[in-house]
């Protein structure tokens, strides 16, 4: 039996990707409906120190991490890293079904993958973890990590704690005496898995070290067919998450355009009941039921961003003494008679 350990790394650059990963964890995305056994999804393991009551709430956990640590997002930089820690399922099978969450070796894998991430990137950096047992494969742990580093403030400002995936990976490389950070991650996880899960586990030897995007190290030497197959599966998961992210971005842009259009036509209002309450959307009592239902369905999941964008546009128009309806008249409506705010460069005035 070949007992191998491997890891994949994917940087997360936007909240929409975090939301897509959360949707996948909750089995709400299109890919899950095709690939998972829904009757087993309740058996999946999940943990988060920042959202312990709902560890699949990745966005909530991320915001909890930022609040607890005070870490800022780096300008134009990744805000999280998704690491997929893998071991050969044959190792798990020695203690029972490799897809049984009560298999003691499955539990050890889940716990030790988290322990490894905290040891390498800091205890507070591990935002959430998940081990799925409702898919065909086994021996895979999803880790969502926010490495941090002190960054110079510039122009006399104090240094501040900042999310820095780049610094986190470089620190692992320095610790492991390896100039290539992704290769160092492989060494680190392989050593940890061997010491804490099964002494036979070893890192698959790379065919060549590479820094190509989304292929952070060719994990396996010729003949390791099992992990080659698993790598192909992970590639597919990565593509599906990217597709989910694109769909989420398209939905968000449509919701904002529709929200601004509805506001310009007095179908909705953005109001704040009092100084302690959040801003919210109020629907005109004159709205036909069909139109109201369409708006509710379009806004679902995007109310917060609609409120922020529409309020920003309203404030800018007010400062320039431009009426909302006059500005709307300058915009080109799309096929649905919705004002297009021009997303190639963002909304502009």
């Amino acid at each position: 039996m070949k007992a191998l350990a491997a890891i994949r790394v994917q940087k997360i650059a936007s909240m929409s990707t975090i939301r897509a990963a959360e949707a996948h964890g909750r089995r709400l995305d299109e890919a899950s409906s095709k690939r998972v056994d829904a009757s087993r999804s309740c058996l999946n393991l999940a943990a988060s120190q920042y959202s312990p009551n709902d560890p699949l709430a990745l966005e909530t956990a991320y915001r909890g991490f930022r609040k607890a640590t005070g870490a800022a997002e780096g300008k134009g930089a990744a805000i999280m890293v998704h690491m997929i820690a893998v071991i050969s399922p044959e190792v798990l099978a020695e203690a029972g079904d490799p897809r049984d969450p009560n298999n003691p070796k499955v539990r050890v894998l889940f716990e030790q993958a988290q322990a490894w991430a905290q040891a390498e990137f800091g205890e507070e950096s591990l935002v959430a973890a998940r081990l799925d047992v409702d898919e065909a494969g086994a021996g895979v742990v999803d880790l969502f990590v926010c490495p941090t580093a002190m960054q110079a403030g510039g122009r006399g400002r104090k240094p501040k704690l900042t999310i820095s995936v780049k610094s986190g990976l470089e620190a692992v490389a320095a610790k492991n005496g390896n100039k290539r950070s992704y290769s160092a991650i492989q060494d680190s996880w392989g050593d940890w898995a061997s010491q804490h899960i099964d002494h036979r586990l070893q890192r698959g030897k790379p065919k060549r070290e590479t820094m190509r995007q989304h292929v952070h190290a060719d994990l396996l030497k010729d003949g390791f067919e099992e992990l080659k197959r698993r790598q192909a599966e992970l590639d597919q998961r990565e593509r599906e998450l990217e597709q989910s992210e694109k769909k989420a971005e398209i939905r968000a842009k449509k919701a904002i355009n529709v929200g601004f259009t509805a506001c310009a036509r007095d179908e909705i209002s953005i109001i704040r009941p009092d100084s302690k309450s959040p801003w919210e959307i109020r629907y005109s009592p004159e709205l036909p039921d069909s139109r109201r239902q369409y708006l509710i369905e379009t806004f679902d999941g995007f109310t917060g961003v609609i409120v922020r964008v529409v309020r920003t546009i309203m404030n800018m128009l007010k400062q320039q003494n431009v009426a909302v309806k006059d500005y709307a008249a300058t915009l080109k409506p799309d096929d649905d008679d919705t004002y297009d705010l021009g997303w190639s460069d963002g909304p502009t005035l």
Side-chain angles (χ1 to χ4, degrees):
M1 179 185 72
K2 292 184 174 69
L4 303 178
I7 198 158
R8 293 292 305 273
V9 179
Q10 180 183 21
K11 295 179 180 179
I12 293 179
S14 67
M15 286 301 301
S16 59
T17 306
I18 289 178
R19 294 187 188 107
E22 177 174 333
H24 179 70
R26 293 188 185 280
R27 301 323 198 206
L28 299 176
D29 57 337
E30 183 178 351
S32 296
S33 65
K34 298 177 180 178
R35 192 174 63 228
V36 307
D37 180 353
S39 67
R40 293 180 56 85
S41 295
C42 62
L43 302 176
N44 292 344
L45 302 177
S48 172
Q49 61 182 313
Y50 299 108
S51 183
N53 295 327
D54 185 5
L56 294 178
L58 187 57
E59 180 178 359
T60 297
Y62 172 71
R63 297 188 188 281
F65 155 79
R66 289 197 58 197
K67 182 177 181 180
T69 62
E73 295 180 350
K75 186 176 181 180
I79 60 175
M80 183 183 284
V81 60
H82 178 194
M83 291 185 285
I84 305 175
V86 184
I87 69 169
S88 297
E90 289 82 359
V91 172
L92 306 178
E94 291 181 341
D97 185 346
R99 295 170 66 236
D100 179 1
N102 295 315
N103 179 326
K105 281 206 169 183
V106 171
R107 289 283 179 173
V108 169
L109 167 62
F110 187 51
E111 293 166 1
Q112 289 303 323
Q114 295 176 74
W116 168 78
Q118 291 181 314
E120 285 291 26
F121 300 102
E123 184 175 349
E124 75 290 341
S125 69
L126 180 60
V127 176
R130 200 181 74 243
L131 186 153
D132 300 329
V133 297
D134 58 353
E135 297 180 335
V140 178
V141 180
D142 292 85
L143 301 164
F144 298 92
V145 181
C146 289
T148 58
M150 294 301 297
Q151 301 286 349
R155 296 185 180 180
R157 293 192 297 271
K158 294 181 179 180
K160 60 182 178 180
L161 187 67
T162 304
I163 299 170
S164 179
V165 173
K166 182 175 182 290
S167 295
L169 296 177
E170 289 175 346
V172 174
K175 190 187 302 184
N176 286 273
N178 196 314
K179 293 182 179 180
R180 296 185 182 274
S181 58
Y182 293 113
S183 183
I185 287 286
Q186 300 295 334
D187 291 340
S188 174
W189 169 240
D191 290 344
W192 187 279
S194 176
Q195 294 173 27
H196 296 89
I197 301 176
D198 191 297
H199 71 276
R200 294 169 297 177
L201 286 167
Q202 59 179 305
R203 174 203 166 164
K205 296 180 180 180
K207 296 176 184 176
R208 62 181 181 277
E209 299 298 338
T210 174
M211 293 296 288
R212 287 185 294 119
Q213 185 179 13
H214 298 312
V215 185
H216 310 299
D218 275 317
L219 306 179
L220 313 168
K221 67 181 182 180
D222 291 337
F224 286 3
E225 296 300 330
E226 170 60 20
L227 281 186
K228 285 183 180 179
R229 180 184 65 78
R230 297 177 69 76
Q231 182 177 354
E233 291 177 355
L234 295 176
D235 286 339
Q236 179 62 25
R237 286 178 63 182
E238 187 174 299
R239 287 192 293 270
E240 290 168 351
L241 282 175
E242 289 176 348
Q243 291 173 0
S244 296
E245 177 187 0
K246 290 177 182 178
K247 289 179 180 179
E249 290 177 350
I250 292 171
R251 285 189 60 212
K253 291 173 182 178
K254 177 181 179 181
I256 293 170
N257 282 342
V258 171
F260 174 78
T261 301
C263 197
R265 294 174 179 170
D266 296 324
E267 295 177 327
I268 64 170
S269 301
I270 308 296
I271 69 165
R272 193 179 190 185
D274 56 68
S275 60
K276 295 183 179 180
S277 300
W279 291 85
E280 60 185 51
I281 295 175
R282 289 282 179 88
Y283 294 88
S284 168
E286 299 177 2
L287 261 182
D289 290 343
S290 59
R291 176 65 175 174
R292 178 191 296 269
Q293 188 60 35
Y294 169 76
L295 294 179
I296 290 173
E297 292 176 356
T298 302
F299 297 163
D300 184 36
F302 302 103
T303 301
V305 70
I306 292 169
V307 168
R308 289 194 297 272
V309 172
V310 172
R311 284 190 62 233
T312 298
I313 294 175
M314 296 296 188
N315 289 337
M316 294 173 68
L317 292 173
K318 184 177 181 180
Q319 292 172 7
Q320 299 182 35
N321 294 317
V322 177
V324 175
K325 287 182 171 57
D326 291 341
Y327 172 58
T330 69
L331 301 175
K332 181 181 178 181
D334 60 20
D335 294 338
D336 295 330
D337 199 26
T338 297
Y339 297 128
D340 185 352
L341 290 170
W343 289 103
S344 57
D345 298 310
T348 58
L349 296 175

